Amino acid sequence: MASGLVRNGAKRFMSTAAAPASSVPAGARSGWWEAVQPAARDPILGVTEAFLADSDPKKVNVGVGAYRNDEGKPVVLECVRKAEQIIAGKQNMEYLPMGGLVKFNDLSVKLAYGDTAPVLEEKRVAAVQTLSGTGACRLFADFQKRFKPDSRIYIPVPTWANHHNIWRDARVEAHTFRYYKPSTRGLDFEGLMEDLKKAPEGSFVLLHACAHNPTGVDPTADQWKEMSQLFKSNGLFPFFDMAYQGFASGDTVRDAQAIRIFMEDGHQLACAQSFAKNMGLYGQRVGCLSVVCDNSQQAVNVKSQLQQIARPMYSNPPLHGAQIVTTVLSDPELKEQWYKEVKVMADRIIGMREALKSNLEKLGSSLPWKHITEQIGMFCYSGLTEDQVDRLTKEFHIYMTRNGRISMAGVTTGNVEYLANAIHEVTK
Amino acid sequence: MAVAVDVSRFENVSMAPPDPILGVSEAFKADTDATKLNLGVGAYRTEDLQPYVLKVVNKAEQLMLERGENKEYLPIEGLAAFNKATAELLLGADNPVIKNGQIATVQGLSGTGSLRLGAAFIARYFPGVKVLISSPTWGNHKNILSDAGVPWSEYRYFDPQTVGLDFKGMIEDIKAAPNGSVILLHGCAHNPTGIDPTPEQWEAIADVLEEKGHMPFFDVAYQGFASGSLDDDASSVRKFASRGFEMFVAQSYSKNLGLYAERIGAINVILPTADLAARVKSQLKRLARPMYSNPPVHGARIVANVVGDSVLFDEWRAEMQMMAGRIKGVRQKLYEALLSKDKSGKDWSFILKQIGMFSFTGLTKSQSDNMTDKWHVYMTKDGRISLAGLNLAKCDYLADAIIDSYYNVK
């Protein structure tokens, strides 16, 4: 572009000799945008973009964590379809309150904390409907910045990539703690405890309630209890990101055990819930942020402040998805059906884990693969290197994130052999 | 082993004040008086003062239900069919800007979310640049800019003497701003005043922006809803685009398609080249990802279905004309009622000259309080009434309330 650009902060004109397309009148200005570089593709969502652009018939998408049935097709749950029929023709398109649909919030927190949890009966939980799990995390991060501006967030290594983006854009100082141990492809519990012991009092700690993303490695109940004690003695705040309740083991109560353990120890925790996976409502963006408080007045205060953050971001959350969840969870039959459908999804994934492992063993792979069935939830942290992942994509048209994370939801009886073969090829 | 409950980290969190706009509806709901009237939030009501779901929306939802579409994540930038439709609605399908790919469009969470993306972009890429907002403007504009970390100041807009546009003050303040500022303009149906510049005034405003190297940022929340015509209501934006401005435009389908609850809108950036548009779009996505990852699909599909079907599109236009027409009708009736009850000769014609959902009555805060406390008429404290919440049957009552508040309360 022409060098006529003046960057003294006063005028922002580029020489009109540099004006491009002829349809742009000569009076056009420029010079505003030179700092704007093309952004790198999102490491997760960019995988699907690349997959869609690939025309090879053998292509396999084990990138983004969206459930697929054994035909490799997206699934809309039956209970959800029924709920949509029930709410069809709704004559209500009015703005939700800033904090979202009240009934939805009530049902969400019951799911997370238990129907008869004391904190719920005492009305000590501030809960707001959010734009799925991302929105819940962001709302909390902004809230943390606003009310505890000097506090830190501790984030496990590795984690869902967007966690870092969220707390960074919220301008919260982020630190990390060890989590995954490559040599065992399991939890680095000693490293975790060591690192969190060093966290200053008043720090916030991001924990995956179940089905850790991307590793699939979860602490045991005893390990959660030990962590809970440490948080108590060192004054650390537990923030749970629960994106897979029901989806990990097939049992919603079991998958929330970490939260229940911390609650029993009297922690004032917060939780981000997502209904993207466990109810298959990905595109509807339904989630809930809850914060446990001292008493009901404080819960009212905290909720009002969360709403203050939501208002200049999106004013109020979208209705449709929240209505679906509310309909399903408040109808005993639909709720039962949901429990069954979630178990079917969880079981299929567990089955695919077994199939992938046994295929690799059959191929005579010398590497250890037991972590495939020991890890839990949607993802398998394969241990593949970036180069190996790139080879899988280039040579076999298999798409996954470059950290070697395989979305088991994308594995089917139709492609598991092909996948095992390809992995064997790049690792032998 | 249970451990004693800790004192919450958030014990010092105080109760936030009620939202000045959304809080009005809450107060209205709590009022048990039979004469109460909600002229607070800008949501359309029928002559029976009921919420209205457009017939085309019901039809589109029915189509979607029958098709049984999946619920997969949208891309970060939203539904492609929606983005295409919304840019074309704004500028016209054969606009060179669209043909040349000189526009970055990202689906946003209605007008609020779209404004927030634009503001966040400005904070990141034009650090230190100030946004000028009209005085008055929609209350949430300053919150959006503040939370995005963008400095802002005001330009004069409303003239209490004429209950009209303070054009001289507006031009002066825009001229006084540092070169290369961003000017937030309402595309049509200014909120809260209902006062729009004339076409000649728009040209003069464009002249000043050009002279100062300012960038326009249009908030278009009422396209089609103001005059009843989608094209007419977009004329200010189209004029600026044809003059070659680079600019931001935030759109909302809350009012014109009645999709308040589903949060559907878009942020558009008009640029000199398609390459720049691609770059800017990629960076808007980077701002959206840590806010909500990708936008909700339901409202986007509704819009795409309505706009994409010529029968539904025509029906939509007719429903918009009906809504805009009803509002023009109550403006007329209110004006006539005021004229017949107020013999002082005060000029109430601003009610007819203002356009869109809102009327800035010129009532002060204490006069507005009187409207609520004595007459159970709920409105925002800046004197704004939402005509969408008024029907012909209540015009007389409202006229009485306005006259009482205006003359008997200081």
Short mmCIF file of all heavy atoms in Angstrom, two decimals, chain B residues 183-218:
data_model
loop_
_atom_site.label_atom_id
_atom_site.label_comp_id
_atom_site.label_asym_id
_atom_site.label_seq_id
_atom_site.Cartn_x
_atom_site.Cartn_y
_atom_site.Cartn_z
N ILE B 183 -18.10 7.42 15.45
CA ILE B 183 -19.37 8.08 15.78
C ILE B 183 -20.49 7.06 15.72
O ILE B 183 -20.75 6.47 14.66
CB ILE B 183 -19.68 9.23 14.80
CG1 ILE B 183 -18.44 10.10 14.58
CG2 ILE B 183 -20.86 10.04 15.28
CD1 ILE B 183 -17.97 10.85 15.82
N LEU B 184 -21.14 6.84 16.86
CA LEU B 184 -22.25 5.89 16.92
C LEU B 184 -23.53 6.59 16.49
O LEU B 184 -23.93 7.58 17.09
CB LEU B 184 -22.39 5.34 18.34
CG LEU B 184 -23.40 4.22 18.57
CD1 LEU B 184 -23.12 3.01 17.70
CD2 LEU B 184 -23.40 3.80 20.03
N LEU B 185 -24.13 6.09 15.43
CA LEU B 185 -25.33 6.69 14.86
C LEU B 185 -26.45 5.67 14.84
O LEU B 185 -26.21 4.48 14.64
CB LEU B 185 -25.03 7.14 13.41
CG LEU B 185 -23.90 8.16 13.24
CD1 LEU B 185 -23.37 8.15 11.81
CD2 LEU B 185 -24.39 9.56 13.60
N HIS B 186 -27.68 6.12 15.04
CA HIS B 186 -28.82 5.22 14.94
C HIS B 186 -29.32 5.26 13.50
O HIS B 186 -29.70 6.33 13.00
CB HIS B 186 -29.94 5.66 15.89
CG HIS B 186 -29.55 5.66 17.34
ND1 HIS B 186 -30.34 5.09 18.32
CD2 HIS B 186 -28.46 6.14 17.99
CE1 HIS B 186 -29.76 5.24 19.50
NE2 HIS B 186 -28.61 5.87 19.33
N GLY B 187 -29.35 4.11 12.85
CA GLY B 187 -29.71 4.09 11.43
C GLY B 187 -31.09 4.66 11.15
O GLY B 187 -31.29 5.36 10.17
N CYS B 188 -32.03 4.35 12.03
CA CYS B 188 -33.38 4.90 11.90
C CYS B 188 -34.06 4.72 13.24
O CYS B 188 -33.64 3.88 14.03
CB CYS B 188 -34.17 4.19 10.81
SG CYS B 188 -34.52 2.46 11.17
N ALA B 189 -35.12 5.51 13.47
CA ALA B 189 -35.90 5.37 14.71
C ALA B 189 -35.02 5.44 15.94
O ALA B 189 -34.91 4.49 16.70
CB ALA B 189 -36.70 4.06 14.68
N HIS B 190 -34.39 6.59 16.11
CA HIS B 190 -33.49 6.82 17.23
C HIS B 190 -34.12 6.42 18.57
O HIS B 190 -35.27 6.74 18.84
CB HIS B 190 -33.10 8.30 17.27
CG HIS B 190 -32.10 8.64 18.32
ND1 HIS B 190 -32.47 8.96 19.61
CD2 HIS B 190 -30.74 8.69 18.30
CE1 HIS B 190 -31.39 9.22 20.34
NE2 HIS B 190 -30.32 9.06 19.57
N ASN B 191 -33.35 5.70 19.33
CA ASN B 191 -33.79 5.27 20.65
C ASN B 191 -32.99 6.04 21.69
O ASN B 191 -31.77 5.91 21.73
CB ASN B 191 -33.55 3.76 20.78
CG ASN B 191 -33.91 3.21 22.15
OD1 ASN B 191 -34.34 3.94 23.04
ND2 ASN B 191 -33.76 1.92 22.31
N PRO B 192 -33.56 6.86 22.56
CA PRO B 192 -34.96 6.89 22.97
C PRO B 192 -35.82 8.00 22.37
O PRO B 192 -36.99 8.10 22.71
CB PRO B 192 -34.83 7.15 24.47
CG PRO B 192 -33.64 8.05 24.58
CD PRO B 192 -32.70 7.59 23.50
N THR B 193 -35.26 8.86 21.49
CA THR B 193 -36.03 10.06 21.17
C THR B 193 -37.03 9.90 20.04
O THR B 193 -38.00 10.63 19.96
CB THR B 193 -35.09 11.23 20.79
OG1 THR B 193 -34.47 10.89 19.54
CG2 THR B 193 -34.03 11.47 21.85
N GLY B 194 -36.77 8.95 19.12
CA GLY B 194 -37.63 8.85 17.94
C GLY B 194 -37.32 9.92 16.91
O GLY B 194 -38.02 10.05 15.90
N ILE B 195 -36.29 10.71 17.16
CA ILE B 195 -35.96 11.82 16.26
C ILE B 195 -34.83 11.40 15.33
O ILE B 195 -33.73 11.09 15.79
CB ILE B 195 -35.51 13.05 17.08
CG1 ILE B 195 -36.65 13.51 17.99
CG2 ILE B 195 -35.05 14.17 16.17
CD1 ILE B 195 -36.21 14.39 19.13
N ASP B 196 -35.11 11.41 14.04
CA ASP B 196 -34.09 11.06 13.05
C ASP B 196 -33.69 12.28 12.23
O ASP B 196 -34.52 13.15 11.96
CB ASP B 196 -34.62 9.99 12.08
CG ASP B 196 -34.71 8.61 12.72
OD1 ASP B 196 -34.13 8.42 13.81
OD2 ASP B 196 -35.35 7.73 12.11
N PRO B 197 -32.41 12.36 11.81
CA PRO B 197 -32.03 13.42 10.89
C PRO B 197 -32.79 13.28 9.57
O PRO B 197 -33.20 12.18 9.20
CB PRO B 197 -30.53 13.16 10.65
CG PRO B 197 -30.10 12.29 11.79
CD PRO B 197 -31.29 11.49 12.18
N THR B 198 -32.99 14.40 8.88
CA THR B 198 -33.58 14.36 7.54
C THR B 198 -32.51 13.90 6.56
O THR B 198 -31.32 13.90 6.90
CB THR B 198 -34.03 15.77 7.12
OG1 THR B 198 -32.86 16.60 7.04
CG2 THR B 198 -35.03 16.36 8.10
N PRO B 199 -32.91 13.53 5.34
CA PRO B 199 -31.90 13.13 4.36
C PRO B 199 -30.82 14.19 4.16
O PRO B 199 -29.63 13.87 4.04
CB PRO B 199 -32.71 12.92 3.08
CG PRO B 199 -34.08 12.55 3.57
CD PRO B 199 -34.28 13.30 4.85
N GLU B 200 -31.20 15.46 4.13
CA GLU B 200 -30.21 16.53 3.95
C GLU B 200 -29.27 16.59 5.15
O GLU B 200 -28.05 16.80 4.99
CB GLU B 200 -30.90 17.89 3.80
CG GLU B 200 -31.80 18.04 2.57
CD GLU B 200 -33.09 17.24 2.65
OE1 GLU B 200 -33.65 17.09 3.77
OE2 GLU B 200 -33.53 16.71 1.61
N GLN B 201 -29.84 16.39 6.33
CA GLN B 201 -29.00 16.41 7.53
C GLN B 201 -28.02 15.24 7.53
O GLN B 201 -26.87 15.36 7.92
CB GLN B 201 -29.86 16.42 8.79
CG GLN B 201 -30.55 17.76 9.03
CD GLN B 201 -31.57 17.71 10.15
OE1 GLN B 201 -32.21 16.69 10.39
NE2 GLN B 201 -31.75 18.84 10.83
N TRP B 202 -28.48 14.08 7.05
CA TRP B 202 -27.59 12.92 6.95
C TRP B 202 -26.40 13.24 6.05
O TRP B 202 -25.26 12.88 6.35
CB TRP B 202 -28.32 11.70 6.43
CG TRP B 202 -29.06 10.88 7.47
CD1 TRP B 202 -30.39 10.57 7.47
CD2 TRP B 202 -28.51 10.24 8.63
NE1 TRP B 202 -30.71 9.79 8.56
CE2 TRP B 202 -29.57 9.58 9.30
CE3 TRP B 202 -27.23 10.17 9.19
CZ2 TRP B 202 -29.39 8.85 10.47
CZ3 TRP B 202 -27.05 9.44 10.38
CH2 TRP B 202 -28.13 8.79 11.01
N GLU B 203 -26.66 13.92 4.93
CA GLU B 203 -25.56 14.27 4.02
C GLU B 203 -24.57 15.18 4.73
O GLU B 203 -23.35 15.01 4.61
CB GLU B 203 -26.10 15.00 2.78
CG GLU B 203 -26.87 14.13 1.80
CD GLU B 203 -25.99 13.22 0.93
OE1 GLU B 203 -24.75 13.19 1.11
OE2 GLU B 203 -26.56 12.51 0.07
N ALA B 204 -25.09 16.14 5.47
CA ALA B 204 -24.21 17.07 6.17
C ALA B 204 -23.40 16.34 7.24
O ALA B 204 -22.21 16.62 7.45
CB ALA B 204 -25.03 18.20 6.80
N ILE B 205 -24.04 15.38 7.92
CA ILE B 205 -23.33 14.59 8.92
C ILE B 205 -22.21 13.79 8.25
O ILE B 205 -21.07 13.74 8.73
CB ILE B 205 -24.31 13.63 9.66
CG1 ILE B 205 -25.30 14.43 10.52
CG2 ILE B 205 -23.54 12.64 10.52
CD1 ILE B 205 -26.50 13.63 10.99
N ALA B 206 -22.53 13.21 7.10
CA ALA B 206 -21.51 12.46 6.35
C ALA B 206 -20.35 13.36 5.96
O ALA B 206 -19.17 12.96 6.03
CB ALA B 206 -22.14 11.80 5.13
N ASP B 207 -20.67 14.59 5.57
CA ASP B 207 -19.61 15.54 5.19
C ASP B 207 -18.64 15.76 6.34
O ASP B 207 -17.41 15.76 6.16
CB ASP B 207 -20.22 16.90 4.80
CG ASP B 207 -20.98 16.85 3.48
OD1 ASP B 207 -20.75 15.90 2.70
OD2 ASP B 207 -21.80 17.75 3.24
N VAL B 208 -19.19 15.94 7.53
CA VAL B 208 -18.32 16.20 8.69
C VAL B 208 -17.47 14.97 9.02
O VAL B 208 -16.28 15.08 9.31
CB VAL B 208 -19.16 16.58 9.93
CG1 VAL B 208 -18.26 16.79 11.14
CG2 VAL B 208 -19.96 17.84 9.65
N LEU B 209 -18.10 13.80 8.93
CA LEU B 209 -17.34 12.58 9.23
C LEU B 209 -16.18 12.41 8.25
O LEU B 209 -15.07 12.05 8.62
CB LEU B 209 -18.24 11.34 9.21
CG LEU B 209 -18.75 10.89 10.60
CD1 LEU B 209 -19.77 11.85 11.16
CD2 LEU B 209 -19.31 9.49 10.53
N GLU B 210 -16.47 12.74 7.02
CA GLU B 210 -15.44 12.62 5.99
C GLU B 210 -14.31 13.59 6.26
O GLU B 210 -13.13 13.23 6.24
CB GLU B 210 -16.07 12.93 4.63
CG GLU B 210 -15.35 12.31 3.47
CD GLU B 210 -16.14 12.49 2.19
OE1 GLU B 210 -17.12 11.75 2.00
OE2 GLU B 210 -15.76 13.37 1.40
N GLU B 211 -14.69 14.82 6.57
CA GLU B 211 -13.71 15.87 6.81
C GLU B 211 -12.80 15.51 7.98
O GLU B 211 -11.60 15.78 7.98
CB GLU B 211 -14.50 17.16 7.09
CG GLU B 211 -13.70 18.38 7.44
CD GLU B 211 -14.64 19.45 8.01
OE1 GLU B 211 -15.75 19.62 7.44
OE2 GLU B 211 -14.29 20.09 9.01
N LYS B 212 -13.38 14.88 9.00
CA LYS B 212 -12.62 14.59 10.22
C LYS B 212 -11.99 13.20 10.21
O LYS B 212 -11.32 12.82 11.16
CB LYS B 212 -13.56 14.70 11.43
CG LYS B 212 -14.17 16.06 11.65
CD LYS B 212 -13.20 17.06 12.27
CE LYS B 212 -12.75 16.57 13.63
NZ LYS B 212 -11.83 17.52 14.27
N GLY B 213 -12.24 12.43 9.15
CA GLY B 213 -11.70 11.07 9.14
C GLY B 213 -12.32 10.19 10.22
O GLY B 213 -11.72 9.23 10.70
N HIS B 214 -13.56 10.52 10.60
CA HIS B 214 -14.25 9.70 11.61
C HIS B 214 -14.81 8.45 10.95
O HIS B 214 -15.08 8.43 9.75
CB HIS B 214 -15.44 10.47 12.20
CG HIS B 214 -15.07 11.64 13.06
ND1 HIS B 214 -13.91 11.72 13.79
CD2 HIS B 214 -15.77 12.78 13.32
CE1 HIS B 214 -13.90 12.87 14.47
NE2 HIS B 214 -15.01 13.54 14.20
N MET B 215 -15.02 7.43 11.78
CA MET B 215 -15.66 6.22 11.27
C MET B 215 -17.07 6.11 11.82
O MET B 215 -17.26 6.20 13.03
CB MET B 215 -14.86 4.97 11.66
CG MET B 215 -15.55 3.71 11.14
SD MET B 215 -14.66 2.21 11.45
CE MET B 215 -13.16 2.51 10.59
N PRO B 216 -18.06 5.89 10.96
CA PRO B 216 -19.42 5.70 11.48
C PRO B 216 -19.61 4.29 12.03
O PRO B 216 -19.05 3.33 11.50
CB PRO B 216 -20.32 5.90 10.24
CG PRO B 216 -19.42 5.93 9.06
CD PRO B 216 -18.00 5.85 9.49
N PHE B 217 -20.40 4.20 13.09
CA PHE B 217 -20.82 2.90 13.64
C PHE B 217 -22.33 3.01 13.76
O PHE B 217 -22.85 3.71 14.63
CB PHE B 217 -20.18 2.67 15.01
CG PHE B 217 -20.31 1.27 15.55
CD1 PHE B 217 -19.34 0.76 16.40
CD2 PHE B 217 -21.40 0.46 15.24
CE1 PHE B 217 -19.44 -0.53 16.93
CE2 PHE B 217 -21.51 -0.83 15.75
CZ PHE B 217 -20.53 -1.32 16.60
N PHE B 218 -23.04 2.34 12.85
CA PHE B 218 -24.49 2.41 12.84
C PHE B 218 -25.11 1.32 13.71
O PHE B 218 -24.74 0.15 13.61
CB PHE B 218 -25.03 2.26 11.41
CG PHE B 218 -25.02 3.53 10.63
CD1 PHE B 218 -23.98 3.82 9.76
CD2 PHE B 218 -26.05 4.45 10.75
CE1 PHE B 218 -23.97 5.00 9.02
CE2 PHE B 218 -26.06 5.64 10.02
CZ PHE B 218 -25.01 5.92 9.16
#
